[in-house]
């Protein structure tokens, strides 16, 4: 099986059941990644785990050094990446604590270092990003969820906002008109950088809350944490199944 890297987001700063073999601290041409890469055994496979927001969870979405993170995972030997990310649910089927495997992205973030291809001396290059997530990796995750009877949404458009504030209700309505089903703050440039490095990448999105204006009350941290805990339990099961049953 390909060496799998898991990027853990809010609610998944570490995977308890990893049998840790090594912690690698990489320095990259782009600076330091958010955390050490944990090399460990999980469900009988060697995996690499990186905490996107650091461990402890201190790095805000717009401050994450995405280029260093993806570079470090490549150096550590990652051949495919599953990015776990907390999101808000916009459309009715994206309800809290549910998991979604999105298929598309709209990027509303700005000012982030978002490419490896911007060196002044290198010729201009344009990667194909029509389908930002790796289709076969998505299908394998969906298959694992189905085998386990985990109720997931096997599609969806992920809208990436800048954060760290949550959105206004009008911003969410605009995103919905654009076609977004989910809103998160870390999906980009992570997915595009993985594509530039030619590492298959898929997202396992855990819905932490209804997006702004989609429920009666305010969005509160306790609510987010409860839903994340539930969603992450399903995510860990899904990852275990994926690692145990996938041969490619
Ligand atoms: N908006 C943006 N990012 C998020 C949200 C949200 O409502 N919930 C979790 N991550």
């Amino acid at each position: 099986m390909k060496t799998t890297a898991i990027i853990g987001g809010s609610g998944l700063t570490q995977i308890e059941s990893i049998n840790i073999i090594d912690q690698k601290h990489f320095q990259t041409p782009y600076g330091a990644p958010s955390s050490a890469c944990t090399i460990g055994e999980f469900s009988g496979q060697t995996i690499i785990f990186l905490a996107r927001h650091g461990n402890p969870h201190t790095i805000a979405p717009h401050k994450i050094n995405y280029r260093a993170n993806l570079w470090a995972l490549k150096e550590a030997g990652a051949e495919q990446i599953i990015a776990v990310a907390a999101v808000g649910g916009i459309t009715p089927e994206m309800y809290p604590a549910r998991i979604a495997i999105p298929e598309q992205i709209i990027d509303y973030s700005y000012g982030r270092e978002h490419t490896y291809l911007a060196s002044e001396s290198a010729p201009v290059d344009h990667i194909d990003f029509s389908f930002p997530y790796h289709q076969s990796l998505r299908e394998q995750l969906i298959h694992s969820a189905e085998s386990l009877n985990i109720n997931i949404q096997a599609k969806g458009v992920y809208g990436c906002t800048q954060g760290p504030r949550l959105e206004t209700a009008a911003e969410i309505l605009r995103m919905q008109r654009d076609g977004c089903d989910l809103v998160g703050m870390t999906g980009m440039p992570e997915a595009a950088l993985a594509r530039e490095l030619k590492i298959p990448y898929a997202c396992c999105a855990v819905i932490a809350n209804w997006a702004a204006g989609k429920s009666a009350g305010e969005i509160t941290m306790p609510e987010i944490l409860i839903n994340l805990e539930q969603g992450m339990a399903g995510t860990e099961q899904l990852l275990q199944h994926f690692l145990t049953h996938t041969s490619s």
Side-chain angles (χ1 to χ4, degrees):
M1 184 183 189
K2 287 183 184 152
T3 304
T4 304
I6 297 169
I7 304 181
S10 302
L12 193 70
T13 303
Q14 58 192 40
I15 299 181
E16 299 295 345
S17 38
I18 289 190
N19 185 9
I20 298 177
I21 299 168
D22 198 3
Q23 298 268 12
K24 287 200 169 144
H25 295 266
F26 287 98
Q27 269 303 328
T28 79
Y30 306 94
S34 299
S35 70
C37 289
T38 300
I39 317 292
E41 200 181 87
F42 184 53
S43 287
Q45 301 283 345
T46 302
I47 65 150
I48 305 161
F49 179 83
L50 180 87
R52 184 188 285 117
H53 298 271
N55 186 9
H57 184 288
T58 52
I59 311 171
H62 64 296
K63 295 275 191 192
I64 291 169
N65 189 338
Y66 295 94
R67 291 195 300 181
N69 284 357
L70 276 286
W71 195 269
L73 290 178
K74 177 113 184 159
E75 293 252 303
E79 294 172 304
Q80 56 187 6
I81 297 176
I82 300 172
V84 180
V87 295
I90 299 178
T91 41
E93 58 283 357
M94 299 296 190
Y95 47 82
R98 199 174 190 201
I99 297 170
I101 311 293
E103 62 191 344
Q104 275 296 337
I105 297 176
I106 300 180
D107 187 10
Y108 302 87
S109 70
Y110 49 86
R112 301 180 179 189
E113 294 288 359
H114 65 283
T115 180
Y116 297 110
L117 303 176
S119 122
E120 307 240 314
S121 51
V124 177
D125 194 6
H126 302 283
I127 53 157
D128 176 73
F129 202 47
S130 314
F131 300 96
Y133 299 114
H134 191 267
Q135 187 55 17
S136 140
L137 197 49
R138 287 187 63 249
E139 278 164 12
Q140 291 166 53
L141 290 171
I142 293 164
H143 173 74
S144 283
E146 282 167 358
S147 309
L148 292 167
N149 261 329
I150 297 178
N151 171 0
I152 62 153
Q153 182 69 354
K155 59 182 182 179
V157 178
Y158 177 119
C160 183
T161 56
Q162 177 71 353
R165 67 164 177 85
L166 294 165
E167 300 69 36
T168 66
E171 284 168 338
I172 291 296
L173 282 178
R174 181 182 76 156
M175 291 176 76
Q176 187 166 5
R177 287 194 298 274
D178 285 352
C180 295
D181 300 292
L182 301 163
V183 54
M185 301 174 189
T186 57
M188 285 293 283
E190 199 172 87
L193 292 168
R195 180 63 55 83
E196 285 187 0
L197 294 178
K198 301 187 169 50
I199 310 175
Y201 174 102
C203 173
C204 181
V206 180
I207 300 154
N209 54 280
W210 283 114
K214 294 291 173 187
S215 70
E218 276 182 22
I219 302 168
T220 64
M221 277 313 284
E223 166 204 353
I224 288 185
L225 294 177
I226 289 171
N227 292 321
L228 276 184
E229 198 175 313
Q230 206 182 319
M232 288 302 167
T235 302
E236 277 204 40
Q237 273 182 284
L238 198 158
L239 291 174
Q240 278 177 356
H241 187 279
F242 167 83
L243 290 167
T244 321
H245 291 86
T246 310
S247 53
S248 63

